[in-house]
Amino acid sequence: MPYNIAMVSDNFYPQPGGVESHMYQLSSKLIDRGHKVIVITHAYAGRTGVRYLTNGLKVYYVPFFVIYRETTFPTVFSFFPVFRNIVIRERIEIVHGHASLSSLCHEAILHARTMGLRTVFTDHSLFGFADAGSILTNKLLKFTLSDVDHVICVSHTCKENTVLRASLDPLMVSVIPNAVVAENFRPLSHDLGGSNMPKPRAASGPPQPMGPDEIITVVVIQRLYYNKGTDLLVAAIPHILAAHPNVRFIIAGNGPKAIDLEQMIERNVLQDRVLMIGPVRHEEVRDVMVRGHIYLCPSLTEAFGTVIVEAASCGLYVVATRVGGIPEVLPPHMTEFAAPEEDELVEATGRAIAKLRAGKVRTELFHNQVKLMYSWTDVAQRTERVYDGISGNISHGEFYQGAGAAGAWSAPRGRAGGQSFALIERLKRYYGCGIWAGKLFCVCVIVDYLLYLVLEVFAPRSRIDICKDWPKKLLKEKNKAIERGFGAGTNGDEVLETRNPRRHKERKEELDDS
Amino acid sequence: MLALLQRLTSPPAQTLYTLQPTHSTIQYTVSTRPITQTIPAILGYIISVLVRVLLGLVTVLSLWTKWRTTLEQPTAPLLWILGSDREVRLFALAHSCQWRYLAPSAFVVLFLVFRRGYTEESLTLLRGLGIQTSTSSSTYLLGPTTRFIPTTSIQDIFINEAFKGFEIRFYLAIVVEGEEDVVVVFPSLLPRRGTLEVVWRGARRCLWEREGVGRERLQDREKESVDM
């Protein structure tokens, strides 16, 4: 059943980033599956108003004050009139918010619940529990998530983190990983091997060990911030280079820690062995990656780590710190793990280099393996299932895999999967957020509800024009309809599972959790 | 109660008038002028016009009288109109009210008298020549603001959406060659999508379709009411 979905977040193109590309890819795949998707974000410099992207994805750049680093000022209610207008004119049924630091997303979820819509929230990041900023963010998260229908996290670590931060029922949190467009991250050998030439490295011949004098290049692509582990990198590089003479580094990205790296290079006179190439655009990342053999990811916290999937897809052996969601992302034969410490990182890189020299790693096969593991189509399929679950199109039992009696944890559940819309039920949920916060949240919700009533009087629905949908090619739509009808019929689950072997494993884990 | 509130706060209803005197000319007019067809409505309209005229005359007269009396110049026409008895009384009245009250209140009354109670915006299409947009001014004293765009410099005409206040409105825009901004048709009324689509279709047909293709038999003056 096609839905009208609104993706809401402060982060969207033209600003580059992980959440942005996630939203874009997911939206376009959902559109391919026959849904209608719009994106609501705030206005960027020189980009205000309503725009269409490829494939008929409509983007509303709502004019708002931007206070800090492309985040809007959290005015709880000022977004409501515009949001209501958009929701009505686009006939939205499901509001899907992204990124926990985006106030636009939180406000949208609150308003959507007031308007009686189903809501989903996707968390893309991990947070701490101790410092003041985190506590505040967590409280805010708890506020919006007390009344959300379903939450999606990008990794199991992220799920654990979100469940703890927002005191959620683990049952209503799904894990749907990010994906990569594998075609955009082809290894070099796939380029050389055209149609007439047999692909030299992709062929499954005997492994070709690298000679001891052959130069191994280590690539690092990241924003140079503290949380990305640049300090670790600064400490580890001299040791790695001292231990392995035929190793070079390529570091791409910029940030406040770039200066530390430059100092390290100068102090150790490594100018000819460490190349810093500054910021690269996302579409150029692949060109940088294929210049190397090993990808080093020294991150201190990472919810998913799309970049290491991209690196593996380019045929690079990955050395990563064992933090956050990183261990879940790639199978063990593609990665060498290290604890986030200097010595361990040096050691792990050493192991990786040795393995490459011995020809024990078949990096040329990585691309096809990654291609099978991650695809946005699969992400869209699984997200669609969440939509089905919350809008009651598949039964509660089926959605939650029969785990636990309905509402063993959170009692006031209405229809299958979804939360009840009754104001009093909603207030109950918010009241439990804290001694003072609970009452404050309740006041917010009541004001929001009154605002909704006022808007219904002064800006009635009859005065809002309904938008026309983006015209779709009829033939394609018909095919899709047949396909979906088939999928939803007899063996829909089998189709899903043959396409995605990871899914089966995950379901089991979900059962274990409960 | 709620219905009443809604009616009070709603913007005035808009009507689309289509005027097609020849096959190569169409004028689309969107107006908020109330339709006067019933007898009470017509009576009300006539009375309101009369009241306006009277009020205007009285105000001008009083201003004139005050001016003449202040400067102590002859007021012969008054004597001729009113007779000496009433003239004396009028002088007393004019003497008693001071300039500082009279001038602002006269200004307000004149403003109200000349204020146009409705807005009318139109798009005139002349095949082979160009199009002209016009917006009526807010008073009866000024003529409409018009803009003519020759066919050769029209690049496209389309309907788009934009944020306006707390809502998103559709608008009909014309892309003019060599100009950075588009020209918005019906800029102050911003009619609803249904109306805009009618105008857009008509405009495209009139501007770019060959003679005799898709010609529509429009009545000389066809009224299409679009409820707002």
Side-chain angles (χ1 to χ4, degrees):
Chain A
M1 180 191 160
Y3 301 106
N4 297 338
I5 303 150
M7 303 272 176
V8 190
S9 180
D10 267 323
N11 310 65
F12 197 66
Y13 293 134
Q15 175 192 322
V19 180
E20 289 82 352
S21 84
H22 177 105
M23 279 170 69
Y24 176 72
Q25 298 289 354
L26 177 62
S27 306
S28 45
K29 292 299 171 197
L30 283 170
I31 289 173
D32 286 346
R33 295 181 65 77
H35 302 284
K36 170 184 169 178
V37 185
I38 62 160
V39 173
I40 305 174
T41 182
H42 70 263
Y44 288 86
R47 193 161 304 196
T48 318
V50 186
R51 294 215 177 193
Y52 285 95
L53 304 185
T54 326
N55 211 356
L57 176 61
K58 196 173 186 181
V59 188
Y60 286 91
Y61 291 97
V62 185
F64 265 114
F65 307 110
V66 172
I67 43 166
Y68 175 67
R69 279 181 68 174
E70 299 300 346
T71 309
T72 49
F73 188 70
T75 52
V76 182
F77 307 111
S78 70
F79 179 45
F80 198 12
V82 177
F83 179 73
R84 177 174 165 275
N85 198 294
I86 295 173
V87 162
I88 292 173
R89 73 205 302 275
E90 298 283 352
R91 287 167 297 166
I92 295 300
E93 295 152 342
I94 293 170
V95 173
H96 191 157
H98 290 264
S100 45
L101 274 184
S102 143
S103 54
L104 202 64
C105 151
H106 292 300
E107 288 173 29
I109 288 176
L110 172 69
H111 303 323
R113 291 298 300 176
T114 307
M115 292 183 68
L117 306 173
R118 296 288 165 198
T119 50
V120 183
F121 173 76
T122 298
D123 203 351
H124 292 262
S125 41
L126 299 174
F127 275 92
F129 299 90
D131 58 304
S134 303
I135 291 172
L136 212 63
T137 319
N138 293 349
K139 211 62 179 173
L140 187 68
L141 195 72
K142 205 169 168 180
F143 175 31
T144 33
L145 295 199
S146 357
D147 197 28
V148 82
D149 287 300
H150 206 85
V151 179
I152 296 171
C153 290
V154 290
S155 65
H156 286 277
T157 314
C158 180
K159 170 177 174 176
E160 199 173 286
N161 185 272
T162 308
V163 164
L164 287 175
R165 279 157 60 207
S167 327
L168 291 171
D169 174 1
L171 265 184
M172 58 177 278
V173 184
S174 301
V175 175
I176 299 178
N178 277 329
V180 293
V181 185
E183 292 76 49
N184 293 348
F185 292 94
R186 276 168 292 117
L188 214 49
S189 55
H190 284 232
D191 274 359
L192 294 174
S195 50
N196 49 356
M197 261 172 67
K199 294 171 187 169
R201 292 187 71 190
S204 51
Q208 299 148 325
M210 298 177 83
D213 295 334
E214 222 175 307
I215 286 175
I216 288 183
T217 310
V218 181
V219 180
V220 181
I221 301 177
Q222 58 179 15
R223 279 168 294 139
L224 303 173
Y225 282 97
Y226 165 74
N227 64 336
K228 297 285 175 189
T230 312
D231 294 322
L232 216 53
L233 198 65
V234 169
I237 286 179
H239 293 288
I240 296 172
L241 289 182
H244 307 278
N246 289 321
V247 170
R248 300 281 180 274
F249 269 87
I250 296 179
I251 301 172
N254 63 350
K257 293 280 179 185
I259 194 92
D260 292 8
L261 269 174
E262 275 159 19
Q263 277 176 354
M264 179 274 293
I265 292 169
E266 275 171 23
R267 206 179 310 122
N268 297 292
V269 199
L270 295 171
Q271 281 89 344
D272 53 338
R273 300 184 67 189
V274 182
L275 179 64
M276 288 187 67
I277 55 177
V280 288
R281 281 158 48 202
H282 190 247
E283 56 267 31
E284 290 163 357
V285 164
R286 184 252 168 192
D287 300 332
V288 177
M289 276 182 174
V290 294
R291 289 161 69 181
H293 305 93
I294 291 177
Y295 183 82
L296 182 61
C297 173
S299 203
L300 297 182
T301 163
E302 196 77 61
F304 180 76
T306 317
V307 69
I308 67 169
V309 185
E310 290 169 354
S313 174
C314 285
L316 271 69
Y317 193 49
V318 175
V319 178
T321 44
R322 196 184 283 107
V323 293
I326 287 179
E328 304 167 27
V329 167
L330 287 175
H333 71 271
M334 291 186 188
T335 40
E336 200 66 61
F337 287 117
E341 286 166 16
E342 183 190 329
D343 295 341
E344 285 240 8
L345 202 64
V346 174
E347 221 172 88
T349 317
R351 280 201 304 272
I353 292 168
K355 274 192 183 172
L356 276 182
R357 292 228 189 275
K360 280 185 191 161
V361 201
R362 306 291 306 272
T363 49
E364 66 274 13
L365 305 178
F366 284 4
H367 176 69
N368 287 333
Q369 289 166 352
V370 169
K371 204 158 121 187
L372 288 180
M373 275 188 284
Y374 291 104
S375 87
W376 282 110
T377 318
D378 169 58
V379 171
Q381 238 164 12
R382 292 159 76 172
T383 311
E384 191 181 88
R385 190 168 170 278
V386 169
Y387 295 154
D388 281 338
I390 57 169
S391 45
N393 286 333
I394 57 177
S395 70
H396 186 274
E398 195 191 337
F399 185 40
Y400 290 102
Q401 304 293 308
W409 184 305
S410 54
R413 283 193 179 267
R415 282 191 295 152
Q419 308 259 36
S420 157
F421 288 119
L423 184 62
I424 193 71
E425 297 290 351
R426 294 182 61 213
L427 287 179
K428 272 186 206 162
R429 286 193 286 268
Y430 287 117
Y431 194 75
C433 284
I435 301 173
W436 290 103
K439 293 175 180 75
L440 185 69
F441 294 165
C442 280
V443 171
C444 280
V445 173
I446 292 168
V447 170
D448 206 52
Y449 188 70
L450 290 177
L451 195 61
Y452 176 59
L453 294 183
V454 167
L455 284 173
E456 285 289 319
V457 172
F458 289 102
R461 277 159 197 265
S462 58
R463 221 184 291 156
I464 298 172
D465 278 325
I466 305 296
C467 274
K468 277 194 169 171
D469 294 346
W470 186 258
K472 280 183 194 146
K473 282 176 190 155
L474 265 176
L475 186 74
K476 209 172 149 192
E477 209 171 63
K478 208 185 271 175
N479 285 343
K480 283 269 147 48
I482 291 166
E483 205 179 281
R484 268 212 310 280
F486 178 70
T490 47
N491 50 359
D493 275 316
E494 267 175 44
V495 170
L496 284 184
E497 271 167 26
T498 46
R499 275 199 187 170
N500 177 22
R502 280 175 61 85
R503 185 185 180 79
H504 202 68
K505 201 176 90 194
E506 213 171 81
R507 278 194 185 168
K508 268 188 197 155
E509 278 168 16
E510 270 176 13
L511 280 179
D512 290 346
D513 277 355
S514 56
Chain B
M1 176 67 188
L2 283 182
L4 186 77
L5 262 180
Q6 270 186 9
R7 223 176 53 211
L8 283 179
T9 55
S10 69
Q14 298 177 357
T15 324
L16 174 70
Y17 301 100
T18 311
L19 177 66
Q20 188 170 28
T22 67
H23 287 307
S24 55
T25 315
I26 309 184
Q27 181 172 44
Y28 291 103
T29 310
V30 177
S31 169
T32 56
R33 190 182 205 157
I35 304 159
T36 47
Q37 272 177 332
T38 55
I39 292 172
I42 293 170
L43 276 179
Y45 177 68
I46 292 170
I47 289 170
S48 75
V49 169
L50 284 178
V51 166
R52 276 172 176 234
V53 170
L54 270 178
L55 262 178
L57 283 178
V58 166
T59 319
V60 170
L61 192 72
S62 55
L63 273 179
W64 186 80
T65 318
K66 182 68 184 165
W67 173 53
R68 294 307 258 193
T69 49
T70 326
L71 296 180
E72 294 178 347
Q73 280 175 346
T75 52
L78 267 188
L79 192 69
W80 182 65
I81 296 169
L82 299 171
S84 63
D85 196 21
R86 290 194 204 149
E87 197 197 4
V88 171
R89 252 186 280 160
L90 191 65
F91 280 166
L93 198 70
H95 211 70
S96 65
C97 64
Q98 294 163 340
W99 268 117
R100 57 177 156 175
Y101 301 118
L102 187 67
S105 49
F107 182 76
V108 169
V109 170
L110 283 181
F111 172 76
L112 289 178
V113 162
F114 286 113
R115 202 176 72 96
R116 201 192 291 264
Y118 60 92
T119 319
E120 208 164 69
E121 295 188 307
S122 69
L123 177 71
T124 314
L125 301 135
L126 301 158
R127 178 175 297 168
L129 273 178
I131 55 188
Q132 173 166 297
T133 59
S134 97
T135 303
S136 68
S137 60
S138 58
T139 67
Y140 286 108
L141 296 175
L142 298 171
T145 320
T146 58
R147 160 102 203 249
F148 180 77
I149 305 163
T151 315
T152 45
S153 59
I154 298 172
Q155 286 190 324
D156 201 1
I157 175 163
F158 59 82
I159 298 176
N160 202 2
E161 298 144 282
F163 288 90
K164 179 124 195 329
F166 279 127
E167 51 183 358
I168 295 137
R169 299 292 290 267
F170 285 96
Y171 64 92
L172 185 66
I174 303 166
V175 185
V176 183
E177 210 175 303
E179 276 184 37
E180 208 160 273
D181 296 327
V182 294
V183 176
V184 178
V185 185
F186 314 127
S188 53
L189 289 178
L190 295 174
R192 298 189 58 164
R193 203 192 73 193
T195 316
L196 288 181
E197 276 174 5
V198 171
V199 178
W200 178 74
R201 289 224 168 77
R204 292 194 75 91
R205 197 186 301 130
C206 190
L207 283 176
W208 285 299
E209 263 173 40
R210 275 174 292 120
E211 190 79 27
V213 178
R215 184 187 290 170
E216 236 182 37
R217 295 265 157 224
L218 284 171
Q219 263 90 48
D220 201 4
R221 192 178 169 87
E222 186 190 59
K223 254 184 215 176
E224 278 181 69
S225 298
V226 183
D227 299 320
M228 277 300 272

